[in-house]
C-alpha cells in the first residue's frame, strides 16, 4: 500500500535554493515537490494547480514581498508555510513577523556554502515540513502593545513573595503562544524564565519584539544575572538556560553543554533546575511544540511541589510536548492558551492570600 506523500511547493527567487530544496524533499520517502516558483505571483498560480500540503517561502523576493504574500495567503487560502530566512538581524525580524502572520516555522539559510549547508540541514528541513503538514492552522495574530489587560480583580491582592517564578517551555508555534501568555502579565509579575526552541541569532530579536508588546521587561538571559520580578528571561539560541542560586537570590545560568532531547536550549534543563532550586515556588507551563522535551522536567517540577499547566490540544499548533507531559502525569491543569495567564494569576493570588493569612 503506497503512502500518501506530503505535497510541497517551494518558492524562492534563487534557482540554486529551489534546486537544493527539491533534492532534499524528493529524497524523503513521504514527501514530494509538486512545483517551484521564483516569485509569489508564479506561486499563486501554482497553488491553484498543484494544491500543495505545505509551502516553503523565501522572505525577500521580486514582484511581491514574501510577508505581503504570506499575509494574503493566510487570509484567502490558509495553508501550512515554512519560511526560509537568512541569518541576519533583519532576516530574524522578518521571520518573527512571518510567525506572527501564521507561518508554522522557519529554516535559516546558511551564509556560506549554500548548497552543502542546506544539504546538511536535510533532516531538519524534512522534519519541519512534516510538522507543518500535521500542524493546526491558527488565525493571524493581532499583537498590540500591552495586549489585553488582566482582570483587575486578579491584581488587587498581593500576587506573591519574590520567591515565586513562572517557568515556560515551548517549541513549534511557541513564539506566538509565549506572547499570548506574557502580554496580560502585570508589571509586578513574578520573574519568568523561558526556553523556546529557536536558533542562535533569532532570540534577541524575539525578546526585543516581546519587550515592546508586554508590560513586563523581556530580554535575553545573561549568565550570572539576578532573576527579578517584572522581568522575563529568554534562553539565547544555542545555550541552555537554567535557574541557579547565589545566596538568597535566584540567578540565570547559561552553558553550552551538549543538546538534551536534541535541543539547546532544552526545556528539560530549565525545568529540572526549577524543580531543584524553586520547588513549590515555581509554576511550570508547557506550551505547543513537537516532541517530548520538557515532559519529564515538568513531572519533576510537579513532584517538587510546583503548580503545572499544559496548553490544551485545541489551541496548540502542535500538541506533541503537552501531550507527552499530560501522559506522564506531569500536569495539574490543562488550559486553552487564552486562559493560561488568567489561571496563573488566579493561582498566584490564591497563594498570596494564603501566605497573608499565615
Amino acid at each position: 500500500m503506497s503512502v500518501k506523500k506530503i505535497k510541497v511547493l517551494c518558492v524562492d527567487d534563487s534557482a540554486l535554493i529551489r534546486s537544493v530544496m527539491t533534492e532534499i524533499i524528493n529524497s524523503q520517502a513521504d514527501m514530494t515537490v509538486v512545483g517551484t516558483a521564483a516569485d509569489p505571483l508564479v506561486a499563486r498560480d501554482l497553488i491553484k494547480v498543484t494544491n500543495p500540503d505545505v509551502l516553503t517561502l523565501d522572505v525577500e523576493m521580486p514582484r511581491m514581498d514574501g510577508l505581503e504574500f504570506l499575509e494574503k495567503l493566510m487570509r484567502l487560502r490558509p495553508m501550512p508555510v515554512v519560511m526560509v530566512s537568512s541569518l541576519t538581524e533583519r532576516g530574524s525580524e522578518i521571520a518573527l513577523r512571518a510567525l506572527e502572520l501564521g507561518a508554522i516555522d522557519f529554516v535559516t539559510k546558511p551564509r556560506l556554502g549554500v548548497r552543502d549547508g542546506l544539504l546538511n540541514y536535510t533532516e531538519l528541513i524534512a522534519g519541519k515540513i512534516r510538522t507543518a503538514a500535521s500542524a493546526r492552522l491558527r488565525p493571524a495574530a493581532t499583537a498590540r502593545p500591552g495586549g489585553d489587560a488582566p482582570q483587575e480583580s486578579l491584581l488587587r491582592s498581593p500576587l506573591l513573595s519574590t520567591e515565586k517564578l513562572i517557568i515556560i517551555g515551548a517549541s513549534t508555534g511557541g513564539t506566538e503562544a509565549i506572547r499570548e501568555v506574557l502580554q496580560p502579565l502585570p508589571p509586578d509579575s513574578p520573574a519568568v524564565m523561558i526556553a523556546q526552541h529557536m536558533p542562535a541569532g533569532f532570540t534577541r530579536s524575539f525578546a526585543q519584539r516581546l519587550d515592546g508588546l508586554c508590560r513586563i521587561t523581556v530580554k535575553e538571559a545573561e549568565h550570572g544575572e539576578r532573576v527579578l520580578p517584572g522581568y522575563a528571561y529568554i534562553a539565547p539560541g544555542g545555550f541552555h538556560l537554567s535557574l541557579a542560586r547565589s545566596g538568597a537570590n535566584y540567578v540565570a545560568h547559561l552553558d553550552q553543554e551538549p543538546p538534551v532531547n536534541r535541543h539547546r536550549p532544552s526545556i528539560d534543563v530549565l525545568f529540572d533546575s526549577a524543580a531543584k532550586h524553586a520547588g513549590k515556588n515555581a509554576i511550570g507551563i508547557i506550551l505547543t511544540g513537537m516532541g517530548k522535551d520538557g515532559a519529564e522536567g515538568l513531572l519533576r517540577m510537579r513532584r517538587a511541589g510546583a503548580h503545572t499547566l499544559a496548553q490544551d490540544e485545541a489551541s496548540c499548533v502542535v500538541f506533541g510536548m503537552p501531550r507527552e507531559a499530560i501522559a506522564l502525569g506531569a500536569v495539574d491543569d490543562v488550559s486553552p492558551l487564552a486562559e493560561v495567564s488568567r489561571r496563573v494569576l488566579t493561582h498566584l493570588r490564591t497563594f498570596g492570600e494564603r501566605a497573608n493569612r499565615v
Side-chain angles (χ1 to χ4, degrees):
M1 183 177 176
S2 62
V3 177
K4 182 182 177 182
K5 293 189 176 185
I6 300 167
K7 297 185 296 181
V8 185
L9 176 62
C10 300
V11 187
D12 198 295
D13 62 340
S14 165
L16 175 61
I17 297 291
R18 296 196 303 273
S19 173
V20 178
M21 289 292 287
T22 298
E23 183 178 345
I24 288 170
I25 293 164
N26 286 343
S27 71
Q28 305 298 305
D30 59 341
M31 60 187 69
T32 185
V33 172
V34 293
T36 63
D39 65 60
L41 298 187
V42 174
R44 181 186 60 191
D45 295 333
L46 281 175
I47 287 171
K48 298 174 185 177
V49 174
T50 62
N51 192 30
D53 299 308
V54 177
L55 188 78
T56 68
L57 179 64
D58 192 8
V59 293
E60 292 180 300
M61 289 178 294
R63 298 215 287 173
M64 183 185 292
D65 178 79
L67 291 183
E68 181 184 353
F69 178 60
L70 178 64
E71 188 170 15
K72 292 178 184 294
L73 183 70
M74 299 309 289
R75 186 174 69 250
L76 301 173
R77 205 284 196 189
M79 63 183 300
V81 175
V82 176
M83 301 301 295
V84 180
S85 173
S86 298
L87 184 56
T88 64
E89 184 174 354
R90 182 164 184 268
S92 63
E93 291 169 357
I94 291 171
L96 291 169
R97 174 59 179 157
L99 295 174
E100 182 180 305
L101 289 171
I104 301 298
D105 209 337
F106 61 88
V107 174
T108 305
K109 285 182 182 177
R111 290 183 178 180
L112 301 172
V114 173
R115 175 179 169 77
D116 289 342
L118 277 178
L119 288 173
N120 287 336
Y121 291 171
T122 292
E123 291 305 315
L124 175 69
I125 292 168
K128 288 180 183 289
I129 290 171
R130 290 187 190 100
T131 299
S134 62
R136 179 178 287 102
L137 294 177
R138 54 172 178 72
T142 53
R144 304 180 308 282
D148 296 328
Q151 297 178 23
E152 288 300 319
S153 62
L154 295 178
L155 303 183
R156 281 199 288 267
S157 301
L159 290 180
L160 66 128
S161 72
T162 55
E163 292 286 296
K164 274 293 186 182
L165 293 170
I166 300 170
I167 313 294
I168 299 175
S171 188
T172 309
T175 56
E176 289 305 297
I178 288 168
R179 176 187 62 78
E180 287 200 44
V181 172
L182 295 188
Q183 275 194 286
L185 296 181
D188 61 347
S189 164
V192 184
M193 298 182 75
I194 300 165
Q196 159 72 42
H197 295 160
M198 186 175 282
F202 286 85
T203 43
R204 185 177 298 277
S205 293
F206 180 44
Q208 290 171 345
R209 173 175 168 268
L210 289 177
D211 187 55
L213 294 170
C214 297
R215 295 174 177 84
I216 61 175
T217 299
V218 185
K219 66 188 297 292
E220 262 193 329
E222 298 176 53
H223 182 67
E225 71 178 322
R226 284 188 62 191
V227 174
L228 299 171
Y231 282 76
Y233 304 88
I234 295 175
F239 286 82
H240 291 305
L241 170 64
S242 56
L243 178 69
R245 286 273 194 177
S246 177
N249 299 316
Y250 290 129
V251 295
H253 177 86
L254 299 178
D255 67 65
Q256 290 188 297
E257 293 296 315
V260 174
N261 298 322
R262 301 189 302 170
H263 295 287
R264 191 175 62 206
S266 164
I267 301 165
D268 267 335
V269 169
L270 177 58
F271 283 178
D272 283 348
S273 68
K276 179 179 179 180
H277 294 292
K280 66 181 181 180
N281 285 317
I283 297 175
I285 303 172
I286 193 160
L287 300 174
T288 174
M290 177 64 73
K292 64 178 184 179
D293 190 28
E296 292 186 358
L298 195 68
L299 178 61
R300 286 186 277 271
M301 284 187 68
R302 189 180 187 210
R303 287 174 173 168
H307 183 66
T308 58
L309 296 89
Q311 185 178 349
D312 73 351
E313 183 173 8
S315 64
C316 279
V317 173
V318 180
F319 189 50
M321 296 189 325
R323 177 190 288 114
E324 293 288 337
I326 293 165
L328 280 179
V331 177
D332 292 311
D333 185 12
V334 179
S335 173
L337 179 61
E339 287 285 306
V340 170
S341 292
R342 186 187 67 79
R343 295 190 188 188
V344 167
L345 292 172
T346 298
H347 176 79
L348 289 168
R349 182 192 63 180
T350 303
F351 179 89
E353 289 172 348
R354 287 174 181 167
N356 286 339
R357 285 198 297 270
V358 174

